[in-house]
Amino acid sequence: VALSWDVPITLGGTNITHYLITVTPLPNTGSCPDTECRLEPSMTTTTITNLDYDTEYTFVIQAVNCADNGTQASLNVFINAEAPGRPQNLELCAILLDNGNELNLKTTWQCPEIDESIVPMISSYEIAVAGSPS
């Protein structure tokens, strides 16, 4: 998730020392592995990575100066995911081995086209064989 914000209009009479970003629930390591991320006062954007699909996150941003923490700004985001489409151009090739008793199957396919903003990367494929050889 890419976050951006504006510098607060009022600074409480002193400069910002840093920004605090809090993410709940915590991401799986990545860009903000701790309870809070501290960002330099010159930064007004950040990207939080390694978020899980089908999970709602709350992002809280606040400016901090030597007096205290500023007013919080929060945003709730649901990371939605869709299942990938079917593999394309599936080919199956039966190979009878030299001993004449063993049959190997070779399969090839192309990955479906996916929009990675809504479909997670494909981590594996499952191949099922129905029926029994005669």
Side-chain angles (χ1 to χ4, degrees), residues 12-68:
T14 185
N15 291 334
I16 294 171
T17 58
H18 62 278
Y19 290 99
L20 282 180
I21 311 292
T22 306
V23 181
T24 51
L26 288 175
N28 296 317
T29 68
S31 59
C32 190
D34 299 320
T35 304
E36 296 178 335
C37 295
R38 291 174 63 119
L39 299 177
E40 296 296 320
S42 61
M43 296 180 67
T44 56
T45 64
T46 191
T47 301
I48 307 297
T49 59
N50 291 338
L51 301 175
D52 290 325
Y53 289 99
D54 293 328
T55 302
E56 183 170 357
Y57 289 92
T58 301
F59 302 92
V60 177
I61 303 168
Q62 62 187 144
V64 178
N65 64 17
C66 64
D68 203 358

Side-chain angles (χ1 to χ4, degrees), residues 1-18:
V1 170
L3 302 172
S4 65
W5 58 92
D6 294 325
V7 174
I9 295 171
T10 59
L11 301 177
T14 185
N15 291 334
I16 294 171
T17 58
H18 62 278

